[in-house]
Amino acid sequence: MIWTKDPTRLMLVASLAISYALVCLAPYLRTRRKRAAAQRARAEAAATPGWIVAYASQTGNAEQLAAQTLATLRLAGIAAQMSELSELRADDLQRAERILFLVSTYGEGDAPDAAAAFAGRLMTDSLALPRLHYAVLALGDSAYGQFCGFGRALDQWLQAQGAQSLFPRIEVNRSSAEAIGAWRQQLSHLAGTSDAPDWSAPAFADWRLAERRLLNPGSAGAPLYHLELEPLDGALPAWESGDLVQVSAPSDPERAREYSIASMPADGRVQLLVRLHTHADGSHGAASGWLTRQAALGQAVQLRLRQHRRFRLEDNAQRPLILIGNGSGIAGLRGHLKARTASGRARNWLLFGERNEAHDYHYRDELAAWQLHASLEKLDMVFSRDQPARRYVQDSLAEQADEVRAWVAAGAAIYVCGSLDGMAAGVDAALAAALGRDALDQLAAAGRYRRDVY
Ligand SMILES: Cc1cc2nc3c(=O)[nH]c(=O)nc-3n(C[C@H](O)[C@H](O)[C@H](O)COP(=O)(O)OP(=O)(O)OC[C@H]3O[C@@H](n4cnc5c(N)ncnc54)[C@H](O)[C@@H]3O)c2cc1C
Ligand SMILES: Cc1cc2nc3c(=O)[nH]c(=O)nc-3n(C[C@H](O)[C@H](O)[C@H](O)COP(=O)(O)O)c2cc1C
C-alpha cells in the first residue's frame, strides 16, 4: 500500500487510531473508576457501620420498639442495623459512632436474660468510647423497687467510658405512650424526618369467654382456672407456642396484664391458666378477678395476642427440651409440649412443681397420655407439701445434675415458666451448679436457656 510508506500519513493514521481507541475506552474506564469508588465506599461503610439499634428485651416490648426505631431511621435514608445487646463486642462499641439502646429491666433491677452476659462481660470493664454518641430508652415498671435499673446502669456505664449522650435517657413506665412519643420525637429530630411510620400497638379485640374450669378444688394454693376464649368476630389468628396474650380489665384498662398461651391454633381456642390474685384487704386482682370471677361465660373479654420471641421454640425446635416450671407456669410449658407432640419431637423432659398431688396435679391425664405415646420421655412431678420436708423443683434438678449435663451435652435447650420468686432463682442456681455459671450464661446468650417468669 502507498500510504504506509509516507511517515506523515502514518503518524496521522496512528494518532487517529489512538484517539478513536480513547473515545471508545473512555466510558469503560469511567465505569471501572465508578465501580472501584463504589467498592471503596462499601468497604469503608463496612469498616464504620452506620447507626446501630441495640436492644435487650425479655418479653418483646423493647425488641418491638427497636424494630420501629430501625424502620424510622431507614425511612429517613439512614443506614442502620439492629442487634441484640449480647451480640455487641467491645470493638463494635469502640468503632460505632451512634448507637440507640432500647433496654428493659427484669428480676430486681437486672438485665433481661439474654443481656446478662453483656452486663457481666462488658459492663464490669472499662473501655474507652470517646467516638460513641448514644441514647437510651429504658423500659420498666415503677411498681418495682429498681425502676429501670438496667437502663440506668447501662447509661451510667456508657457515660463513665466517655461516650456522649445524644439526649437524656428516656424512661418508659409500663409502656407509657407519652414516654414512647418523646423517644419518637427525639428520633425524628435526629433523623431529620417528620415522616415516622405508625407505632401504635395493635388494638384489643373482643373475645368470647367460652369455657372456665377450676383446676385445683381443695388446694392449699390460690384458685387456678383453665380458660378458653375465641374471637367474637373473624377467624382465629395465628400464634406459636411460647406466645402471650394481653388482657385489658375493665377496672384498669390502662395497664394490660399478660398471660402465657397454653394451647395451639389447632386446638381452635386460646387457652389460659389464670391464678386468682387476692390482695391483703381481700379484694381481687384487677385482671385475674375479672377473668375468673366477674366475667360471665359468653361475655366479651378485651384481648390481643403478643409474639414472645424469646420464649418461642424457634431454632430449638430440633433440640431435646428440658421444660421446668411451677404453678400457672404449666401454661407456657403445655403450649410447647403440644407443639412438640404435633411435630413428633419426643425428647422432652418436664420437671414441674406444685403443692399437693391430690389437688394440684394439673392436666394429669394429658401428661400420662403423652408419656404413653412417648412424646414425653421423662416426667418429674415435685409436690412440695406431700412429705414432712418441703421439696421443690430445684431440689429435683440438683439431685439430677448428671442427667441435666447429659441432656445439655446432647444439645438440649432449657425453658423455665412460672414464679420469679423462689422458683426461677432456685432453678437458675441449680442449673449454674450443674453446668457452671459461664456455661449457663452462654446458653442464655445462644437462646438455649429461655425464661417466661413473672
Ligand atoms: C410474661 C408474663 C406471663 C404471665 N403469665 C401468667 C399466667 O400464665 N397465668 C397467671 O395467672 N399469671 C400470669 N402472669 C401474671 C399476670 O400478668 C398478672 O400479673 C396476675 O394475673 C395478677 O394481675 P391482677 O390484675 O389480677 O392483679 P393486680 O391487680 O395487678 O395485683 C397484683 C399485684 O400487683 C401490684 N400492683 C397492681 N397494680 C399496681 C399498681 N397500679 N401499682 C403498683 N403495684 C400494683 C400489687 O402488688 C398487687 O398485689 C404473667 C405475667 C407476665 C409478666
Ligand atoms: C418478672 C418481672 C420483673 C420485672 N422487674 C422490673 C424491675 O426490677 N424494674 C423495672 O423497672 N421494671 C421491671 N419489670 C417491668 C419490665 O421492665 C417492663 O414490663 C418492660 O416493659 C418489659 O419490656 P420487655 O418486654 O422488652 O422485656 C419487670 C417485669 C417482670 C414481668
Side-chain angles (χ1 to χ4, degrees):
M1 292 218 243
I2 306 170
W3 58 264
T4 51
K5 291 187 181 141
D6 180 340
T8 321
R9 278 188 166 207
L10 204 60
M11 290 273 290
L12 192 69
V13 168
S15 69
L16 272 174
I18 289 169
S19 310
Y20 178 71
L22 280 178
V23 167
C24 293
L25 269 175
Y28 166 75
L29 289 174
R30 258 201 310 276
T31 313
R32 239 179 68 143
R33 259 201 314 275
K34 267 194 192 157
R35 263 199 213 131
Q39 244 169 18
R40 263 199 314 277
R42 268 201 300 277
E44 275 167 21
T48 47
W51 299 40
I52 297 175
V53 178
Y55 67 92
S57 182
Q58 188 81 26
T59 61
N61 289 322
E63 183 177 355
Q64 192 190 350
L65 289 168
Q68 287 165 324
T69 297
L70 182 77
T72 302
L73 292 177
R74 288 193 171 159
L75 199 76
I78 293 172
Q81 63 189 56
M82 187 162 135
S83 164
E84 201 161 8
L85 195 58
S86 59
E87 288 164 5
L88 293 183
R89 307 271 160 259
D91 63 331
D92 295 320
L93 295 175
Q94 285 176 315
R95 274 196 336 215
E97 285 179 4
R98 290 190 170 198
I99 306 186
L100 305 179
F101 295 92
L102 298 94
V103 302
S104 70
T105 292
Y106 262 75
E108 285 166 26
D110 303 328
D113 289 339
F118 179 94
R121 176 168 46 85
L122 279 181
M123 285 171 61
T124 48
D125 270 355
S126 34
L127 204 66
L129 301 175
R131 272 167 69 102
L132 178 62
H133 291 75
Y134 74 96
V136 174
L137 184 75
L139 280 76
D141 183 333
S142 59
Y144 291 91
Q146 306 282 322
F147 177 52
C148 291
F150 179 58
R152 289 178 184 181
L154 176 66
D155 190 9
Q156 275 156 18
W157 178 77
L158 289 165
Q159 265 175 39
Q161 313 315 309
Q164 322 277 319
S165 87
L166 291 159
F167 52 84
R169 178 182 66 246
I170 294 179
E171 297 183 341
V172 184
N173 186 18
R174 292 186 204 138
S175 302
S176 143
E178 204 182 320
I180 294 169
W183 172 261
R184 230 181 127 199
Q185 208 168 20
Q186 289 284 7
L187 198 62
S188 301
H189 181 66
L190 280 178
T193 172
S194 55
D195 199 16
D198 184 15
W199 282 33
S200 47
F204 284 95
D206 282 336
W207 288 60
R208 193 177 74 89
L209 181 57
E211 195 178 324
R212 179 168 55 205
R213 195 168 72 237
L214 178 64
L215 283 184
N216 60 346
S219 172
L224 183 64
Y225 289 85
H226 170 97
L227 307 184
E228 299 194 6
L229 298 114
E230 54 196 14
L232 211 56
D233 298 313
L236 193 70
W239 71 87
E240 285 183 28
S241 63
D243 285 352
L244 300 165
V245 299
Q246 290 187 321
V247 170
S248 167
S251 64
D252 190 3
E254 294 303 306
R255 191 170 154 247
R257 307 297 196 278
E258 289 178 317
Y259 296 94
S260 315
I261 305 180
S263 57
M264 292 298 293
D267 294 311
R269 285 176 177 170
V270 158
Q271 300 179 5
L272 310 176
L273 266 89
V274 179
R275 176 91 70 188
L276 176 62
H277 193 94
T278 304
H279 299 144
D281 65 3
S283 64
H284 289 146
S288 62
W290 160 243
L291 287 170
T292 67
R293 293 288 159 99
Q294 290 146 357
L297 270 190
Q299 197 165 345
V301 169
Q302 291 261 294
L303 184 144
R304 69 181 172 211
L305 297 189
R306 208 153 88 74
Q307 290 187 6
H308 190 192
R309 286 208 35 232
R310 288 227 52 84
F311 201 66
R312 284 183 169 184
L313 293 180
E314 297 197 323
D315 293 348
N316 295 326
Q318 314 296 324
R319 295 178 177 280
L321 293 189
I322 306 178
L323 302 156
I324 306 166
N326 72 335
S328 58
I330 191 71
L333 305 180
R334 181 176 182 250
H336 285 323
L337 280 168
K338 277 175 168 273
R340 299 280 284 183
T341 304
S343 66
R345 297 267 155 206
R347 288 225 70 197
N348 302 302
W349 173 9
L350 174 65
L351 279 119
F352 185 73
E354 256 287 7
R355 289 185 174 167
N356 298 106
E357 179 170 355
H359 305 287
D360 304 307
Y361 201 143
H362 319 308
Y363 304 113
R364 182 177 203 145
D365 295 346
E366 192 175 64
L367 293 175
W370 284 335
Q371 272 187 298
L372 198 67
H373 298 111
S375 61
L376 185 55
E377 180 176 320
K378 190 165 156 51
L379 173 65
D380 289 297
M381 296 297 288
V382 185
F383 293 102
S384 59
R385 300 183 180 203
D386 277 354
Q387 59 284 309
R390 294 279 162 90
R391 189 176 140 70
Y392 299 103
V393 79
Q394 54 267 40
D395 300 322
S396 172
L397 257 185
E399 289 158 12
Q400 305 190 70
D402 284 343
E403 194 83 0
V404 172
R405 281 190 287 272
W407 277 63
V408 170
I414 305 168
Y415 284 71
V416 183
C417 192
S419 314
L420 181 68
D421 289 338
M423 192 274 297
V427 164
D428 186 76
L431 290 171
L435 302 167
R437 172 55 62 191
D438 286 350
L440 191 59
D441 282 350
Q442 277 164 23
L443 284 180
R448 281 176 61 193
Y449 175 34
R450 300 183 178 221
R451 305 196 304 170
D452 176 7
V453 292
Y454 45 87

